[in-house]
Amino acid sequence: MLNLERLRTLDALARHGSVSAAADGLHVTTSAVSQQMAKLEREVGQRLLAKNGRGVRLTDAGQLLADHAARILSQVELAQSDIEAQRGQVVGEVRLGAFPTAARGLFPAAVAALRGAHPDLRVRTRELEPELGLRAVIRGDLDLAVVLDWSNKRLPVPGGLTHAQLLDDVPDVAMPAGHPLAGRDEVDLEEFADDEWVSWPEGEFCHDWLVFTLRSKGFEPKIAHLAGEHHTQLALIAAGLGVCVTPRLGRGPVPEGVAFVPVRQRMRRHVYAAWRTDADRRPSIRAAVDALRAAAGSQR
């Protein structure tokens, strides 16, 4: 009989691409990964790993077994979901991830509600950018991720995932209080063609969205500052160092000297939860989605 935990280790190696990354994903040591793989090779009587420079790669036999392992583990999760659904109790552990403003704006209320309603459920949370959150759910490192896309730039949801809308978040343009447009009721983005911009770090989904959107307005943005935290962005705005697009979700305290003006052609961030379809019947997933929806409702 093939050992399930060793198949889980092989699956992690196939998904993460290295022993160290697999160990991180499984929350074990690299030595434990190597030992499990050595035992699995003895069980099947074939080499599953081969040296590849300083790392390793799967052999043909290793890839074949890894493909089976992924299907087996998916069936195991489906079986666990069905057992939990039949029992109907919200117990065990659920691991949630969200991009920073959703973690700040939704997690405190949602996790507190889950703890109050389901004391036997352990909830773990972490911040992750949307694309990384979806990958973590696919890999099995998270049970559910809160992610986003924009009305003019969608984030593809991979096959095998189910998702549910939580809310639409309407951002504003943040600018120094002394900016010539600070007193307006509405603005157009092209009116800021000569301003310096504060943006999210390069490579992040929202940075790509901002550049794409401003270019579609007919100008190349002058991006002077990059900051992942919205509070850092607003501190730069308060110092008179540019303008930025700022969501309303999780905005929190605003530093003095910052003005917000809505955009005439409303931009919207679609915020939604995503989880593996084979875990769809788990009561803990359903409870987490309900708690997130309730927290999102209080934001409207």
Short mmCIF file of all heavy atoms in Angstrom, two decimals, residues 62-127:
data_model
loop_
_atom_site.label_atom_id
_atom_site.label_comp_id
_atom_site.label_asym_id
_atom_site.label_seq_id
_atom_site.Cartn_x
_atom_site.Cartn_y
_atom_site.Cartn_z
N GLY A 62 8.69 9.32 -11.28
CA GLY A 62 8.27 10.28 -10.26
C GLY A 62 7.12 11.15 -10.73
O GLY A 62 6.17 11.41 -9.99
N GLN A 63 7.19 11.62 -11.98
CA GLN A 63 6.12 12.46 -12.52
C GLN A 63 4.83 11.66 -12.67
O GLN A 63 3.73 12.17 -12.38
CB GLN A 63 6.54 13.04 -13.87
CG GLN A 63 5.56 14.07 -14.42
CD GLN A 63 5.39 15.25 -13.49
OE1 GLN A 63 6.34 15.96 -13.19
NE2 GLN A 63 4.16 15.48 -13.02
N LEU A 64 4.97 10.40 -13.12
CA LEU A 64 3.79 9.55 -13.26
C LEU A 64 3.09 9.35 -11.92
O LEU A 64 1.86 9.50 -11.80
CB LEU A 64 4.20 8.19 -13.84
CG LEU A 64 3.09 7.14 -13.98
CD1 LEU A 64 2.05 7.59 -14.99
CD2 LEU A 64 3.69 5.79 -14.39
N LEU A 65 3.89 9.06 -10.88
CA LEU A 65 3.30 8.85 -9.56
C LEU A 65 2.76 10.16 -8.98
O LEU A 65 1.73 10.17 -8.30
CB LEU A 65 4.33 8.23 -8.62
CG LEU A 65 3.82 7.80 -7.23
CD1 LEU A 65 2.64 6.84 -7.36
CD2 LEU A 65 4.94 7.19 -6.41
N ALA A 66 3.43 11.28 -9.29
CA ALA A 66 2.96 12.58 -8.80
C ALA A 66 1.60 12.92 -9.39
O ALA A 66 0.74 13.49 -8.71
CB ALA A 66 3.98 13.67 -9.13
N ASP A 67 1.41 12.58 -10.65
CA ASP A 67 0.10 12.82 -11.28
C ASP A 67 -0.99 12.02 -10.57
O ASP A 67 -2.09 12.53 -10.31
CB ASP A 67 0.13 12.45 -12.76
CG ASP A 67 1.02 13.38 -13.57
OD1 ASP A 67 1.30 14.50 -13.10
OD2 ASP A 67 1.43 12.99 -14.69
N HIS A 68 -0.69 10.76 -10.25
CA HIS A 68 -1.64 9.94 -9.51
C HIS A 68 -1.84 10.51 -8.10
O HIS A 68 -2.97 10.51 -7.59
CB HIS A 68 -1.15 8.49 -9.42
CG HIS A 68 -1.35 7.71 -10.67
ND1 HIS A 68 -2.60 7.32 -11.13
CD2 HIS A 68 -0.46 7.23 -11.58
CE1 HIS A 68 -2.48 6.64 -12.26
NE2 HIS A 68 -1.18 6.57 -12.56
N ALA A 69 -0.76 10.96 -7.48
CA ALA A 69 -0.85 11.49 -6.11
C ALA A 69 -1.79 12.69 -6.06
O ALA A 69 -2.58 12.82 -5.11
CB ALA A 69 0.54 11.88 -5.61
N ALA A 70 -1.71 13.56 -7.05
CA ALA A 70 -2.59 14.74 -7.06
C ALA A 70 -4.05 14.32 -7.11
O ALA A 70 -4.90 14.89 -6.41
CB ALA A 70 -2.24 15.63 -8.26
N ARG A 71 -4.35 13.31 -7.94
CA ARG A 71 -5.74 12.85 -8.03
C ARG A 71 -6.18 12.15 -6.74
O ARG A 71 -7.31 12.31 -6.28
CB ARG A 71 -5.90 11.92 -9.23
CG ARG A 71 -5.77 12.63 -10.58
CD ARG A 71 -6.22 11.73 -11.72
NE ARG A 71 -5.29 10.64 -11.95
CZ ARG A 71 -4.23 10.70 -12.75
NH1 ARG A 71 -3.97 11.83 -13.40
NH2 ARG A 71 -3.44 9.67 -12.91
N ILE A 72 -5.27 11.37 -6.16
CA ILE A 72 -5.60 10.66 -4.92
C ILE A 72 -5.87 11.65 -3.80
O ILE A 72 -6.85 11.52 -3.05
CB ILE A 72 -4.44 9.70 -4.53
CG1 ILE A 72 -4.37 8.53 -5.52
CG2 ILE A 72 -4.62 9.19 -3.10
CD1 ILE A 72 -3.10 7.71 -5.41
N LEU A 73 -5.02 12.66 -3.67
CA LEU A 73 -5.19 13.64 -2.60
C LEU A 73 -6.47 14.46 -2.79
O LEU A 73 -7.13 14.83 -1.83
CB LEU A 73 -3.96 14.57 -2.54
CG LEU A 73 -2.67 13.88 -2.10
CD1 LEU A 73 -1.48 14.82 -2.30
CD2 LEU A 73 -2.76 13.42 -0.65
N SER A 74 -6.82 14.73 -4.06
CA SER A 74 -8.07 15.42 -4.33
C SER A 74 -9.26 14.58 -3.89
O SER A 74 -10.22 15.08 -3.30
CB SER A 74 -8.18 15.76 -5.82
OG SER A 74 -9.41 16.38 -6.10
N GLN A 75 -9.19 13.27 -4.16
CA GLN A 75 -10.27 12.37 -3.74
C GLN A 75 -10.34 12.27 -2.22
O GLN A 75 -11.43 12.19 -1.65
CB GLN A 75 -10.06 10.98 -4.34
CG GLN A 75 -10.41 10.89 -5.82
CD GLN A 75 -11.88 11.23 -6.07
OE1 GLN A 75 -12.20 12.18 -6.76
NE2 GLN A 75 -12.77 10.45 -5.49
N VAL A 76 -9.18 12.28 -1.57
CA VAL A 76 -9.17 12.25 -0.10
C VAL A 76 -9.83 13.49 0.46
O VAL A 76 -10.64 13.42 1.40
CB VAL A 76 -7.72 12.11 0.42
CG1 VAL A 76 -7.67 12.36 1.93
CG2 VAL A 76 -7.16 10.73 0.10
N GLU A 77 -9.51 14.65 -0.12
CA GLU A 77 -10.13 15.89 0.35
C GLU A 77 -11.63 15.86 0.10
O GLU A 77 -12.42 16.33 0.94
CB GLU A 77 -9.51 17.10 -0.33
CG GLU A 77 -10.15 18.40 0.10
CD GLU A 77 -9.20 19.58 0.03
OE1 GLU A 77 -8.14 19.46 -0.61
OE2 GLU A 77 -9.54 20.62 0.61
N LEU A 78 -12.05 15.33 -1.04
CA LEU A 78 -13.47 15.22 -1.33
C LEU A 78 -14.15 14.31 -0.31
O LEU A 78 -15.26 14.61 0.17
CB LEU A 78 -13.67 14.69 -2.75
CG LEU A 78 -15.11 14.64 -3.27
CD1 LEU A 78 -15.74 16.03 -3.27
CD2 LEU A 78 -15.13 14.04 -4.68
N ALA A 79 -13.50 13.21 0.04
CA ALA A 79 -14.05 12.31 1.04
C ALA A 79 -14.17 13.00 2.39
O ALA A 79 -15.18 12.86 3.09
CB ALA A 79 -13.18 11.05 1.15
N GLN A 80 -13.13 13.74 2.77
CA GLN A 80 -13.18 14.47 4.03
C GLN A 80 -14.30 15.50 4.03
O GLN A 80 -15.00 15.69 5.03
CB GLN A 80 -11.83 15.16 4.28
CG GLN A 80 -10.70 14.17 4.59
CD GLN A 80 -9.35 14.86 4.66
OE1 GLN A 80 -9.13 15.91 4.07
NE2 GLN A 80 -8.43 14.26 5.39
N SER A 81 -14.48 16.17 2.89
CA SER A 81 -15.55 17.15 2.78
C SER A 81 -16.91 16.50 2.95
O SER A 81 -17.79 17.02 3.64
CB SER A 81 -15.49 17.86 1.41
OG SER A 81 -14.29 18.58 1.27
N ASP A 82 -17.09 15.34 2.32
CA ASP A 82 -18.36 14.64 2.43
C ASP A 82 -18.63 14.18 3.86
O ASP A 82 -19.76 14.26 4.35
CB ASP A 82 -18.39 13.44 1.49
CG ASP A 82 -18.55 13.85 0.02
OD1 ASP A 82 -18.94 15.01 -0.22
OD2 ASP A 82 -18.29 13.02 -0.86
N ILE A 83 -17.57 13.70 4.55
CA ILE A 83 -17.74 13.26 5.93
C ILE A 83 -18.11 14.44 6.82
O ILE A 83 -19.01 14.37 7.66
CB ILE A 83 -16.46 12.57 6.43
CG1 ILE A 83 -16.26 11.22 5.74
CG2 ILE A 83 -16.50 12.40 7.95
CD1 ILE A 83 -17.35 10.21 6.06
N GLU A 84 -17.39 15.58 6.63
CA GLU A 84 -17.70 16.77 7.40
C GLU A 84 -19.12 17.25 7.11
O GLU A 84 -19.85 17.67 8.01
CB GLU A 84 -16.70 17.89 7.09
CG GLU A 84 -15.35 17.71 7.73
CD GLU A 84 -14.48 18.94 7.54
OE1 GLU A 84 -15.01 20.06 7.47
OE2 GLU A 84 -13.24 18.78 7.46
N ALA A 85 -19.51 17.20 5.83
CA ALA A 85 -20.85 17.64 5.46
C ALA A 85 -21.92 16.76 6.09
O ALA A 85 -22.95 17.25 6.56
CB ALA A 85 -20.99 17.65 3.94
N GLN A 86 -21.68 15.45 6.13
CA GLN A 86 -22.65 14.55 6.73
C GLN A 86 -22.75 14.78 8.23
O GLN A 86 -23.84 14.75 8.81
CB GLN A 86 -22.25 13.10 6.46
CG GLN A 86 -23.30 12.09 6.92
CD GLN A 86 -22.88 10.67 6.64
OE1 GLN A 86 -21.78 10.26 7.00
NE2 GLN A 86 -23.74 9.91 5.99
N ARG A 87 -21.61 15.06 8.86
CA ARG A 87 -21.62 15.33 10.30
C ARG A 87 -22.24 16.69 10.57
O ARG A 87 -22.87 16.90 11.60
CB ARG A 87 -20.18 15.28 10.82
CG ARG A 87 -20.06 15.40 12.32
CD ARG A 87 -18.65 15.09 12.77
NE ARG A 87 -17.67 15.90 12.07
CZ ARG A 87 -16.36 15.72 12.18
NH1 ARG A 87 -15.89 14.75 12.93
NH2 ARG A 87 -15.51 16.50 11.53
N GLY A 88 -22.04 17.64 9.63
CA GLY A 88 -22.68 18.94 9.73
C GLY A 88 -22.11 19.86 10.78
O GLY A 88 -22.71 20.88 11.11
N GLN A 89 -20.93 19.55 11.33
CA GLN A 89 -20.34 20.37 12.38
C GLN A 89 -19.19 21.19 11.83
O GLN A 89 -18.41 20.71 11.00
CB GLN A 89 -19.85 19.50 13.53
CG GLN A 89 -20.97 18.73 14.23
CD GLN A 89 -20.43 17.82 15.31
OE1 GLN A 89 -19.26 17.43 15.30
NE2 GLN A 89 -21.29 17.45 16.26
N VAL A 90 -19.08 22.42 12.30
CA VAL A 90 -17.99 23.31 11.88
C VAL A 90 -16.86 23.14 12.89
O VAL A 90 -16.83 23.77 13.95
CB VAL A 90 -18.46 24.77 11.82
CG1 VAL A 90 -17.33 25.67 11.33
CG2 VAL A 90 -19.67 24.89 10.89
N VAL A 91 -15.93 22.25 12.57
CA VAL A 91 -14.83 21.90 13.48
C VAL A 91 -13.54 21.82 12.68
O VAL A 91 -13.53 21.98 11.45
CB VAL A 91 -15.10 20.56 14.20
CG1 VAL A 91 -16.33 20.65 15.08
CG2 VAL A 91 -15.26 19.43 13.17
N GLY A 92 -12.45 21.55 13.36
CA GLY A 92 -11.16 21.38 12.70
C GLY A 92 -10.45 22.71 12.51
O GLY A 92 -10.46 23.58 13.40
N GLU A 93 -9.85 22.87 11.34
CA GLU A 93 -9.06 24.06 11.06
C GLU A 93 -9.39 24.58 9.67
O GLU A 93 -9.62 23.81 8.74
CB GLU A 93 -7.56 23.73 11.13
CG GLU A 93 -6.65 24.91 10.83
CD GLU A 93 -5.18 24.52 10.95
OE1 GLU A 93 -4.61 24.02 9.95
OE2 GLU A 93 -4.61 24.72 12.03
N VAL A 94 -9.43 25.91 9.53
CA VAL A 94 -9.61 26.52 8.22
C VAL A 94 -8.55 27.60 8.07
O VAL A 94 -8.33 28.42 8.97
CB VAL A 94 -11.05 27.08 8.04
CG1 VAL A 94 -11.33 28.22 9.02
CG2 VAL A 94 -11.29 27.52 6.62
N ARG A 95 -7.86 27.60 6.93
CA ARG A 95 -6.75 28.54 6.68
C ARG A 95 -7.20 29.54 5.62
O ARG A 95 -7.54 29.16 4.50
CB ARG A 95 -5.53 27.76 6.20
CG ARG A 95 -5.02 26.73 7.21
CD ARG A 95 -4.16 25.68 6.54
NE ARG A 95 -4.93 24.95 5.53
CZ ARG A 95 -4.38 24.13 4.64
NH1 ARG A 95 -3.07 23.95 4.61
NH2 ARG A 95 -5.14 23.51 3.75
N LEU A 96 -7.18 30.81 5.98
CA LEU A 96 -7.68 31.88 5.12
C LEU A 96 -6.54 32.82 4.73
O LEU A 96 -5.67 33.13 5.56
CB LEU A 96 -8.76 32.69 5.84
CG LEU A 96 -9.89 31.92 6.52
CD1 LEU A 96 -10.83 32.89 7.23
CD2 LEU A 96 -10.64 31.05 5.53
N GLY A 97 -6.57 33.29 3.51
CA GLY A 97 -5.62 34.30 3.04
C GLY A 97 -6.37 35.43 2.38
O GLY A 97 -7.47 35.25 1.87
N ALA A 98 -5.76 36.62 2.38
CA ALA A 98 -6.40 37.78 1.74
C ALA A 98 -5.34 38.81 1.40
O ALA A 98 -4.30 38.90 2.07
CB ALA A 98 -7.46 38.41 2.65
N PHE A 99 -5.63 39.60 0.38
CA PHE A 99 -4.75 40.74 0.08
C PHE A 99 -4.88 41.75 1.22
O PHE A 99 -5.88 41.75 1.97
CB PHE A 99 -5.09 41.34 -1.28
CG PHE A 99 -6.50 41.83 -1.43
CD1 PHE A 99 -6.81 43.16 -1.22
CD2 PHE A 99 -7.53 40.97 -1.81
CE1 PHE A 99 -8.11 43.64 -1.36
CE2 PHE A 99 -8.83 41.42 -1.96
CZ PHE A 99 -9.12 42.76 -1.73
N PRO A 100 -3.89 42.64 1.42
CA PRO A 100 -3.81 43.42 2.67
C PRO A 100 -5.05 44.20 3.06
O PRO A 100 -5.47 44.16 4.22
CB PRO A 100 -2.60 44.34 2.42
CG PRO A 100 -1.72 43.54 1.52
CD PRO A 100 -2.66 42.81 0.60
N THR A 101 -5.67 44.94 2.11
CA THR A 101 -6.82 45.75 2.53
C THR A 101 -8.02 44.88 2.92
O THR A 101 -8.80 45.25 3.80
CB THR A 101 -7.24 46.74 1.43
OG1 THR A 101 -7.39 46.05 0.18
CG2 THR A 101 -6.21 47.84 1.28
N ALA A 102 -8.16 43.72 2.29
CA ALA A 102 -9.23 42.81 2.70
C ALA A 102 -8.92 42.17 4.04
O ALA A 102 -9.81 41.96 4.87
CB ALA A 102 -9.45 41.74 1.63
N ALA A 103 -7.64 41.84 4.27
CA ALA A 103 -7.26 41.29 5.57
C ALA A 103 -7.57 42.30 6.68
O ALA A 103 -8.06 41.93 7.75
CB ALA A 103 -5.78 40.94 5.57
N ARG A 104 -7.31 43.57 6.41
CA ARG A 104 -7.57 44.61 7.40
C ARG A 104 -9.06 44.93 7.50
O ARG A 104 -9.60 45.13 8.60
CB ARG A 104 -6.79 45.87 7.05
CG ARG A 104 -6.90 46.98 8.08
CD ARG A 104 -5.87 48.07 7.86
NE ARG A 104 -6.00 48.71 6.56
CZ ARG A 104 -5.10 48.62 5.58
NH1 ARG A 104 -4.01 47.89 5.75
NH2 ARG A 104 -5.28 49.24 4.43
N GLY A 105 -9.75 44.95 6.37
CA GLY A 105 -11.14 45.37 6.36
C GLY A 105 -12.15 44.28 6.67
O GLY A 105 -13.25 44.57 7.13
N LEU A 106 -11.79 43.00 6.42
CA LEU A 106 -12.76 41.91 6.57
C LEU A 106 -12.39 40.90 7.66
O LEU A 106 -13.28 40.39 8.35
CB LEU A 106 -12.92 41.16 5.24
CG LEU A 106 -13.42 41.96 4.05
CD1 LEU A 106 -13.51 41.07 2.81
CD2 LEU A 106 -14.78 42.60 4.33
N PHE A 107 -11.11 40.57 7.80
CA PHE A 107 -10.73 39.49 8.70
C PHE A 107 -11.08 39.73 10.17
O PHE A 107 -11.55 38.81 10.84
CB PHE A 107 -9.24 39.17 8.55
CG PHE A 107 -8.93 38.21 7.43
CD1 PHE A 107 -7.62 37.87 7.13
CD2 PHE A 107 -9.94 37.64 6.68
CE1 PHE A 107 -7.33 36.98 6.11
CE2 PHE A 107 -9.67 36.75 5.65
CZ PHE A 107 -8.35 36.42 5.37
N PRO A 108 -10.85 40.92 10.74
CA PRO A 108 -11.16 41.08 12.17
C PRO A 108 -12.60 40.71 12.51
O PRO A 108 -12.85 39.92 13.44
CB PRO A 108 -10.87 42.56 12.43
CG PRO A 108 -9.81 42.90 11.43
CD PRO A 108 -10.19 42.14 10.20
N ALA A 109 -13.57 41.25 11.76
CA ALA A 109 -14.97 40.95 12.04
C ALA A 109 -15.31 39.50 11.70
O ALA A 109 -16.02 38.81 12.46
CB ALA A 109 -15.88 41.90 11.26
N ALA A 110 -14.82 39.00 10.55
CA ALA A 110 -15.17 37.65 10.12
C ALA A 110 -14.60 36.59 11.06
O ALA A 110 -15.30 35.65 11.45
CB ALA A 110 -14.67 37.41 8.69
N VAL A 111 -13.34 36.74 11.43
CA VAL A 111 -12.71 35.74 12.30
C VAL A 111 -13.32 35.78 13.70
O VAL A 111 -13.55 34.75 14.33
CB VAL A 111 -11.19 35.94 12.35
CG1 VAL A 111 -10.54 34.98 13.35
CG2 VAL A 111 -10.59 35.70 10.95
N ALA A 112 -13.61 36.99 14.19
CA ALA A 112 -14.26 37.10 15.51
C ALA A 112 -15.63 36.42 15.49
O ALA A 112 -16.02 35.73 16.45
CB ALA A 112 -14.39 38.56 15.91
N ALA A 113 -16.37 36.59 14.38
CA ALA A 113 -17.69 35.96 14.27
C ALA A 113 -17.56 34.43 14.22
O ALA A 113 -18.34 33.71 14.85
CB ALA A 113 -18.41 36.47 13.03
N LEU A 114 -16.58 33.94 13.48
CA LEU A 114 -16.36 32.49 13.41
C LEU A 114 -15.99 31.93 14.79
O LEU A 114 -16.48 30.87 15.19
CB LEU A 114 -15.25 32.17 12.41
CG LEU A 114 -15.62 32.24 10.93
CD1 LEU A 114 -14.37 32.16 10.06
CD2 LEU A 114 -16.60 31.13 10.56
N ARG A 115 -15.14 32.64 15.50
CA ARG A 115 -14.73 32.16 16.82
C ARG A 115 -15.93 32.12 17.77
O ARG A 115 -16.07 31.19 18.57
CB ARG A 115 -13.64 33.07 17.38
CG ARG A 115 -13.15 32.66 18.76
CD ARG A 115 -12.03 33.55 19.24
NE ARG A 115 -10.82 33.33 18.45
CZ ARG A 115 -9.68 33.98 18.66
NH1 ARG A 115 -9.61 34.93 19.59
NH2 ARG A 115 -8.62 33.73 17.93
N GLY A 116 -16.78 33.14 17.69
CA GLY A 116 -17.94 33.18 18.57
C GLY A 116 -18.96 32.11 18.25
O GLY A 116 -19.54 31.50 19.15
N ALA A 117 -19.19 31.88 16.95
CA ALA A 117 -20.23 30.93 16.55
C ALA A 117 -19.75 29.49 16.54
O ALA A 117 -20.56 28.56 16.72
CB ALA A 117 -20.75 31.30 15.16
N HIS A 118 -18.45 29.28 16.34
CA HIS A 118 -17.92 27.92 16.19
C HIS A 118 -16.63 27.78 17.01
O HIS A 118 -15.52 27.81 16.46
CB HIS A 118 -17.64 27.62 14.72
CG HIS A 118 -18.80 27.91 13.81
ND1 HIS A 118 -19.95 27.15 13.80
CD2 HIS A 118 -18.99 28.91 12.89
CE1 HIS A 118 -20.80 27.64 12.92
NE2 HIS A 118 -20.24 28.70 12.36
N PRO A 119 -16.74 27.64 18.32
CA PRO A 119 -15.55 27.61 19.18
C PRO A 119 -14.61 26.44 18.92
O PRO A 119 -13.43 26.50 19.31
CB PRO A 119 -16.15 27.55 20.60
CG PRO A 119 -17.55 27.05 20.41
CD PRO A 119 -17.99 27.55 19.09
N ASP A 120 -15.08 25.38 18.26
CA ASP A 120 -14.21 24.24 17.98
C ASP A 120 -13.50 24.36 16.63
O ASP A 120 -12.81 23.42 16.20
CB ASP A 120 -15.02 22.94 18.00
CG ASP A 120 -15.53 22.61 19.40
OD1 ASP A 120 -14.82 22.93 20.37
OD2 ASP A 120 -16.64 22.05 19.52
N LEU A 121 -13.67 25.49 15.96
CA LEU A 121 -13.00 25.72 14.68
C LEU A 121 -11.77 26.59 14.91
O LEU A 121 -11.87 27.69 15.48
CB LEU A 121 -13.95 26.41 13.70
CG LEU A 121 -13.36 26.76 12.33
CD1 LEU A 121 -13.05 25.49 11.53
CD2 LEU A 121 -14.30 27.67 11.54
N ARG A 122 -10.62 26.13 14.46
CA ARG A 122 -9.39 26.92 14.52
C ARG A 122 -9.23 27.69 13.20
O ARG A 122 -9.27 27.08 12.13
CB ARG A 122 -8.16 26.04 14.75
CG ARG A 122 -8.17 25.29 16.07
CD ARG A 122 -6.88 24.51 16.28
NE ARG A 122 -6.62 23.59 15.18
CZ ARG A 122 -7.14 22.37 15.10
NH1 ARG A 122 -7.98 21.93 16.04
NH2 ARG A 122 -6.85 21.57 14.09
N VAL A 123 -9.05 28.98 13.30
CA VAL A 123 -8.91 29.83 12.10
C VAL A 123 -7.51 30.39 12.05
O VAL A 123 -7.05 31.00 13.02
CB VAL A 123 -9.95 30.97 12.11
CG1 VAL A 123 -9.85 31.77 10.80
CG2 VAL A 123 -11.36 30.43 12.29
N ARG A 124 -6.84 30.19 10.93
CA ARG A 124 -5.51 30.78 10.71
C ARG A 124 -5.61 31.70 9.50
O ARG A 124 -6.25 31.36 8.50
CB ARG A 124 -4.47 29.69 10.44
CG ARG A 124 -4.20 28.80 11.65
CD ARG A 124 -3.41 27.57 11.27
NE ARG A 124 -2.20 27.89 10.54
CZ ARG A 124 -1.47 26.99 9.87
NH1 ARG A 124 -1.86 25.72 9.85
NH2 ARG A 124 -0.38 27.35 9.24
N THR A 125 -4.96 32.87 9.59
CA THR A 125 -5.03 33.84 8.49
C THR A 125 -3.63 34.31 8.11
O THR A 125 -2.70 34.26 8.91
CB THR A 125 -5.88 35.08 8.88
OG1 THR A 125 -5.20 35.81 9.92
CG2 THR A 125 -7.26 34.67 9.35
N ARG A 126 -3.52 34.78 6.87
CA ARG A 126 -2.27 35.38 6.40
C ARG A 126 -2.58 36.32 5.25
O ARG A 126 -3.62 36.19 4.59
CB ARG A 126 -1.26 34.31 5.94
CG ARG A 126 -1.77 33.45 4.81
CD ARG A 126 -0.84 32.30 4.48
NE ARG A 126 0.42 32.74 3.91
CZ ARG A 126 1.24 31.94 3.23
NH1 ARG A 126 0.93 30.66 3.08
NH2 ARG A 126 2.35 32.39 2.73
N GLU A 127 -1.68 37.30 5.04
CA GLU A 127 -1.82 38.22 3.91
C GLU A 127 -1.09 37.66 2.70
O GLU A 127 0.04 37.19 2.81
CB GLU A 127 -1.23 39.59 4.26
CG GLU A 127 -2.06 40.41 5.21
CD GLU A 127 -1.50 41.81 5.38
OE1 GLU A 127 -0.47 42.14 4.75
OE2 GLU A 127 -2.09 42.60 6.15
#
